[in-house]
Amino acid sequence: MELISIGKAAKQAAFQLANASTAQKNRALAIIANELEANCETILTANAKDIQLGRETGMSDTLLDRLLLDKDRLTAIANDVRNVIKLADPVGSEFDSKILENGMSLARRRVPLGVVGVIYEARPNVTIDIASLCLKTGNASILRGGKETFFSNMELVKVIQSALEQAQLPAASVQYIEKPDRELVSALLKLDQYVDMIIPRGGAGLHKMCKENSSIPVIIGGFGISHIFVDESADLEKSLNVVENAKIQRPSACNALDTLLVHQNVASEFLANLKARMQGKVTFVAEPKAKAWLDGAEKLRASLEGDFDTEWLSYTLGVKVVADITEAIEHMRVHNASHSDAIMTNSLDHAERFINSVDSAAVYVNASTRFTDGAQFGLGAEVAVSTQKLHARGPMGLEELTSYKWVGKANYLVRD
Amino acid sequence: MELISIGKAAKQAAFQLANASTAQKNRALAIIANELEANCETILTANAKDIQLGRETGMSDTLLDRLLLDKDRLTAIANDVRNVIKLADPVGSEFDSKILENGMSLARRRVPLGVVGVIYEARPNVTIDIASLCLKTGNASILRGGKETFFSNMELVKVIQSALEQAQLPAASVQYIEKPDRELVSALLKLDQYVDMIIPRGGAGLHKMCKENSSIPVIIGGFGISHIFVDESADLEKSLNVVENAKIQRPSACNALDTLLVHQNVASEFLANLKARMQGKVTFVAEPKAKAWLDGAEKLRASLEGDFDTEWLSYTLGVKVVADITEAIEHMRVHNASHSDAIMTNSLDHAERFINSVDSAAVYVNASTRFTDGAQFGLGAEVAVSTQKLHARGPMGLEELTSYKWVGKANYLVRD
């Protein structure tokens, strides 16, 4: 019942937001940024409660660090909001405009989606991030963060709602589901009468749960086995730099390299160089042929069933020798290439074949898989990284938080 | 189990289709068109079986007519396929191309969605229509038509598959779920490992079922209460033409007018004219104020609870007098305006307010709601009319059967 009131209020707020000017939305964002700094003490006190509870329940240091706010981090978050102000507002722009033969002026006009539901992990910065991106695009948001951030999020949402009211926008533009019951998440996924899109931010389990239970369109993403295929014609020295970058620069990212595929004709040389460059830093998980060439590496084990379907998110690298580009592509089709994949090659033909045959959100020729990112792609902001094919694929910026409507204007025109 | 084989085969076919050239896809379409005509006799014999079964089970004349094929209709269907050949192939085109500061050349390239599942009513022409539009855009399709068209569809799909093989494309590019069990539809909706999009073509019930049970993204649409609001400043004579067109030109269409809203200051004059022009042709279902002005009309009754939430699809028209544009917009928000809605006005301000405030796929100023249609909008083809906000809204053409992937090309580039 409570959730239905939240949905109704969000829908009502969305109607108002759809008519808010960019200036008004930016004013609200500016007030949010200032209020975050002005309420620093209260927010940090609330955050300290979450941290204490986290410690008591044995949360890991990594997770505690994600959860932690301090003055500097809060200032950084406020500045992130100020950066959103600078981004172009996609709402209201028209595209595919034309005059039909009958004289009707027809265009697609960008409009907010309406109400966006976001389910996310225990990171207080995501609360502000999502709320401000939704607000900028005229969407109302219903937030549901990890329960470990409860006190921080309560305080942050209070600050946001007060700022919204100061800017004469409805407080219900940003709402938070307070109750910890997991059932509320299932109920949110069925609230299709009021919610237009669900963004899950979290692991594969959360995405699967949303996909299987939601009657609202869901943005699936953030998961996928990333591959690099080193082709016969590749510049091996430069390819090694790219492989190292893709694996080591930030192994915990979803666009970090999981599986290296090497053409058999260059396997001997490339894998010897790989061993020399990366042994000790990386655990190699190799199929028999690759294992033979990597023999003697410090951390090396034979690959087992399922290894090539594993997103490592760590300093582990799957390695396989393939006969040619055809086998590489076959391997990727079976092993869930859907996020970011690259070919190292000097063959124009193979580059195009790879691009067209690999079914992933981002495909690279002679570049690291690590580039799949809203900021790297110049989108200004990143709402999520979609690996599905409907609506948006790959990094989603502000435009992907909008829909369009067809607008037809004429002089009392009737259809023949 | 059988469905899983269908899914796997479709996915495999989709990989091949993604690499097929436009010429090759067009060649397959040309062969399909020719084979439809060459196999006319076999197809009509199969269709006669469906018709006979339909008669025996007491199918209505309207439904029998939808089901019926004859030589002329089959020729028309073959010519529709030939028209698809002429349409531009959206696959492979790039947009948002740019060179990033680091030198990477980045673009979004249009690609097929992959595998499209379509559940539709008992119309044999839809089988050919969907199969040819999917083929043109490089998508494999899994079809499930109404069981009343079983024999016709079996024969049509046989013709298509033989044509595909002649064109060296996989027969599994177009597959049909033969078994009549309804359970297979539920199973299809869960086949997310192989199917990328579900298009239901049918009534609100089918759409609801798909929305609630599918783990695959669904295109919801084809339903909505269409409104026209006659504002105080409207040209009343011309508005009457538009209202008549929207209601009467084809009342069974989903973009036909359901509810007429009239500003109170022009209600007396406009409704008197409406009565004079349309009485006898239309049953007016009016709230008290409107009923008073329509008093004496041949077919007139007081509106009841739910009337303004009814998509009439017939010669019935809901009529309501409203205080102003604000009340009109409020009414439309409550009563499911999501498909096609229009304002008749000479006020620029009201026109813009209406466009921005009414949350429907197509919004018109001084034009009939009947224009919401792929052909009218110059899309060349219409796959469906979406009323949802993700992926596509309003009439969907070939482009809406595609996704995109990000393509990044560089010179062995690494991320800093």
Side-chain angles (χ1 to χ4, degrees):
Chain A
M1 269 315 291
E2 193 209 5
L3 202 56
I4 290 179
S5 326
I6 289 179
K8 274 190 187 165
K11 194 83 184 167
Q12 209 52 45
F15 286 136
Q16 274 186 262
L17 287 176
N19 275 306
S21 66
T22 304
Q24 197 179 1
K25 294 184 286 185
N26 283 344
R27 199 154 56 237
L29 289 168
I31 299 172
I32 289 173
N34 295 342
E35 291 289 304
L36 283 173
E37 293 178 330
N39 290 280
C40 176
E41 212 166 306
T42 340
I43 294 167
L44 296 189
T45 307
N47 183 249
K49 276 197 227 174
D50 285 326
I51 292 286
Q52 196 191 328
L53 271 173
R55 286 231 173 79
E56 285 169 18
T57 53
M59 199 184 257
S60 75
D61 283 351
T62 318
L63 289 180
L64 281 170
D65 184 60
R66 277 191 180 189
L67 181 54
L68 181 74
L69 290 177
D70 57 25
K71 199 160 177 249
D72 286 353
R73 287 187 178 185
L74 202 56
T75 305
I77 290 173
N79 286 332
D80 283 345
V81 176
R82 293 185 181 107
N83 284 331
V84 174
I85 296 175
K86 291 178 212 151
L87 298 177
D89 182 355
V91 171
S93 68
E94 294 193 342
F95 57 105
D96 291 352
S97 311
K98 53 188 167 186
I99 307 288
L100 302 180
E101 280 183 23
N102 58 22
M104 178 183 286
S105 129
L106 183 71
R108 307 199 212 197
R109 183 181 293 192
R110 280 213 179 280
V111 297
L113 285 166
V115 179
V116 179
V118 188
I119 303 163
Y120 55 104
E121 66 277 50
R123 299 186 118 157
N125 59 316
V126 174
T127 304
I128 302 295
D129 188 27
I130 289 284
S132 58
L133 295 172
C134 283
L135 181 57
K136 178 79 187 203
T137 45
N139 292 293
S141 53
I142 300 177
L143 310 177
R144 163 72 179 203
K147 64 178 187 317
E148 302 82 358
T149 26
F150 177 77
F151 292 107
S152 315
N153 282 339
M154 285 294 87
E155 206 54 46
L156 290 170
V157 171
K158 209 194 285 176
V159 167
I160 294 173
Q161 292 186 333
S162 144
L164 285 164
E165 280 173 344
Q166 289 177 56
Q168 268 99 53
L169 286 174
S173 304
V174 179
Q175 292 178 93
Y176 192 85
I177 299 179
E178 300 187 17
K179 295 241 179 84
D181 332 12
R182 265 226 101 159
E183 277 168 34
L184 282 178
V185 173
S186 305
L188 173 62
L189 298 178
K190 300 286 181 204
L191 215 59
D192 51 78
Q193 207 185 339
Y194 306 110
V195 181
D196 297 285
M197 176 163 89
I198 294 285
I199 305 180
R201 290 183 45 151
L206 175 64
H207 282 259
K208 188 165 183 290
M209 197 269 277
C210 289
K211 184 163 75 171
E212 287 173 359
N213 294 295
S214 179
S215 58
I216 304 163
V218 177
I219 296 294
I220 297 296
F223 174 85
I225 314 297
S226 293
H227 302 79
I228 290 182
F229 168 53
V230 179
D231 196 11
E232 190 178 8
S233 67
D235 182 315
L236 297 187
E237 186 57 34
K238 291 178 181 169
S239 297
L240 189 56
N241 295 338
V242 175
V243 168
E244 183 183 33
N245 178 263
K247 182 68 250 180
I248 283 184
Q249 197 232 9
R250 199 175 154 207
S252 63
C254 56
N255 55 18
L257 179 61
D258 295 301
T259 300
L260 172 68
L261 303 170
V262 185
H263 191 289
Q264 58 182 359
N265 294 355
V266 294
S268 146
E269 183 183 348
F270 189 75
L271 294 180
N273 295 347
L274 180 79
K275 184 171 86 172
R277 174 88 67 98
M278 283 167 68
Q279 78 163 328
K281 297 185 210 164
V282 160
T283 302
F284 299 111
V285 172
E287 54 69 72
K289 276 186 231 160
K291 190 161 176 287
W293 296 119
L294 290 166
D295 198 32
E298 253 175 65
K299 298 171 185 172
L300 171 66
R301 70 166 172 84
S303 60
L304 305 169
E305 171 104 25
D307 274 337
F308 291 115
D309 297 309
T310 303
E311 189 175 18
W312 297 110
L313 303 170
S314 67
Y315 289 94
T316 299
L317 179 63
V319 190
K320 184 178 176 180
V321 172
V322 292
D324 54 18
I325 185 174
T326 305
E327 192 188 341
I329 289 167
E330 283 302 322
H331 176 96
M332 294 168 71
R333 283 181 179 167
V334 174
H335 297 283
N336 195 17
S338 61
H339 194 294
S340 300
D341 299 287
I343 183 173
M344 303 295 117
T345 191
N346 285 338
S347 155
L348 196 57
D349 181 45
H350 284 193
E352 276 306 305
R353 193 166 147 210
F354 187 89
I355 291 170
N356 289 329
S357 302
V358 172
D359 196 22
S360 45
V363 194
Y364 300 95
V365 175
N366 300 333
S368 171
T369 53
R370 287 278 298 120
F371 285 106
T372 310
D373 173 277
Q376 292 289 326
F377 281 8
L379 302 185
E382 182 180 288
V383 179
V385 176
S386 157
T387 54
Q388 66 177 26
K389 295 182 189 169
L390 262 74
H391 187 63
R393 204 172 182 198
M396 294 170 60
L398 288 181
E399 201 171 282
E400 284 72 30
L401 280 178
T402 66
S403 178
Y404 60 85
K405 60 171 68 156
W406 293 85
V407 176
K409 298 177 186 171
N411 185 16
Y412 299 92
L413 189 69
V414 299
R415 180 165 168 183
D416 290 331
Chain B
M1 267 315 292
E2 192 209 5
L3 202 57
I4 290 179
S5 325
I6 290 179
K8 273 189 189 166
K11 193 84 183 166
Q12 209 52 45
F15 287 135
Q16 274 186 261
L17 287 175
N19 274 306
S21 67
T22 305
Q24 196 179 1
K25 294 185 286 186
N26 283 345
R27 198 154 55 237
L29 289 168
I31 299 173
I32 289 173
N34 295 342
E35 291 289 304
L36 284 173
E37 292 178 330
N39 290 280
C40 177
E41 212 166 308
T42 339
I43 294 167
L44 296 188
T45 306
N47 183 249
K49 277 197 224 172
D50 284 327
I51 292 286
Q52 195 190 328
L53 271 173
R55 284 229 175 81
E56 283 168 20
T57 54
M59 200 184 255
S60 75
D61 285 350
T62 318
L63 289 180
L64 281 171
D65 185 59
R66 277 190 180 189
L67 182 53
L68 182 73
L69 290 178
D70 56 25
K71 197 161 178 245
D72 285 352
R73 286 187 179 185
L74 202 57
T75 306
I77 290 172
N79 286 333
D80 283 345
V81 177
R82 294 186 181 107
N83 284 331
V84 173
I85 296 174
K86 291 179 211 149
L87 298 176
D89 181 356
V91 171
S93 68
E94 295 195 340
F95 58 104
D96 290 353
S97 312
K98 54 188 168 185
I99 307 288
L100 302 179
E101 280 182 25
N102 58 23
M104 178 184 287
S105 129
L106 184 71
R108 306 200 212 197
R109 183 181 292 192
R110 280 215 178 280
V111 296
L113 285 166
V115 179
V116 179
V118 188
I119 303 163
Y120 54 104
E121 66 277 49
R123 298 186 119 158
N125 59 316
V126 173
T127 304
I128 303 295
D129 189 27
I130 290 284
S132 58
L133 294 172
C134 283
L135 182 57
K136 178 78 186 203
T137 46
N139 291 292
S141 53
I142 299 177
L143 309 177
R144 164 71 179 199
K147 64 178 185 321
E148 302 81 359
T149 26
F150 177 77
F151 291 107
S152 315
N153 282 339
M154 284 295 85
E155 205 54 46
L156 291 170
V157 171
K158 209 195 282 177
V159 167
I160 294 172
Q161 292 186 333
S162 143
L164 285 164
E165 281 173 345
Q166 289 177 54
Q168 269 100 54
L169 286 175
S173 303
V174 178
Q175 292 178 92
Y176 192 84
I177 299 180
E178 301 187 18
K179 296 244 178 82
D181 332 12
R182 265 225 102 158
E183 276 168 34
L184 282 178
V185 174
S186 305
L188 173 62
L189 298 178
K190 299 288 182 204
L191 214 60
D192 51 77
Q193 207 186 336
Y194 306 110
V195 182
D196 297 285
M197 176 162 91
I198 294 285
I199 305 180
R201 289 182 47 151
L206 175 65
H207 283 259
K208 189 165 181 290
M209 197 270 276
C210 289
K211 184 162 76 171
E212 287 174 359
N213 295 296
S214 180
S215 58
I216 304 164
V218 177
I219 296 295
I220 297 296
F223 174 84
I225 314 298
S226 292
H227 301 79
I228 290 181
F229 168 53
V230 179
D231 196 10
E232 192 178 7
S233 67
D235 182 314
L236 297 188
E237 186 56 32
K238 291 178 179 168
S239 297
L240 189 56
N241 295 339
V242 175
V243 168
E244 184 183 32
N245 178 262
K247 182 69 249 179
I248 283 184
Q249 197 232 8
R250 198 174 155 205
S252 63
C254 57
N255 54 18
L257 179 61
D258 295 298
T259 300
L260 171 68
L261 303 170
V262 184
H263 191 290
Q264 58 182 359
N265 293 356
V266 295
S268 147
E269 184 182 345
F270 189 75
L271 293 180
N273 294 347
L274 180 78
K275 184 171 84 173
R277 173 88 66 99
M278 282 167 69
Q279 77 164 328
K281 296 185 210 166
V282 160
T283 301
F284 299 110
V285 172
E287 54 70 70
K289 277 186 230 161
K291 189 161 177 287
W293 295 118
L294 290 166
D295 200 31
E298 254 176 66
K299 300 172 184 171
L300 171 66
R301 71 167 172 84
S303 61
L304 305 168
E305 171 103 24
D307 274 336
F308 290 116
D309 297 309
T310 303
E311 189 175 20
W312 298 110
L313 303 170
S314 67
Y315 289 94
T316 299
L317 178 63
V319 189
K320 184 178 177 181
V321 173
V322 293
D324 53 17
I325 185 174
T326 305
E327 193 188 340
I329 289 167
E330 283 301 324
H331 176 97
M332 294 168 70
R333 283 179 178 169
V334 175
H335 298 284
N336 197 16
S338 62
H339 194 293
S340 300
D341 298 286
I343 183 172
M344 303 295 117
T345 190
N346 285 338
S347 155
L348 196 57
D349 182 44
H350 283 193
E352 276 305 307
R353 195 167 144 208
F354 188 89
I355 291 169
N356 289 328
S357 302
V358 172
D359 197 22
S360 44
V363 194
Y364 299 95
V365 175
N366 300 334
S368 170
T369 53
R370 288 277 298 120
F371 285 106
T372 309
D373 174 276
Q376 292 289 323
F377 280 9
L379 301 185
E382 182 180 290
V383 179
V385 176
S386 157
T387 55
Q388 65 177 26
K389 295 182 188 168
L390 262 74
H391 187 64
R393 205 173 183 198
M396 293 170 63
L398 288 182
E399 201 172 284
E400 283 72 29
L401 280 178
T402 66
S403 178
Y404 59 86
K405 60 171 68 157
W406 294 84
V407 176
K409 298 177 187 171
N411 185 15
Y412 299 91
L413 190 68
V414 299
R415 181 166 168 184
D416 291 330

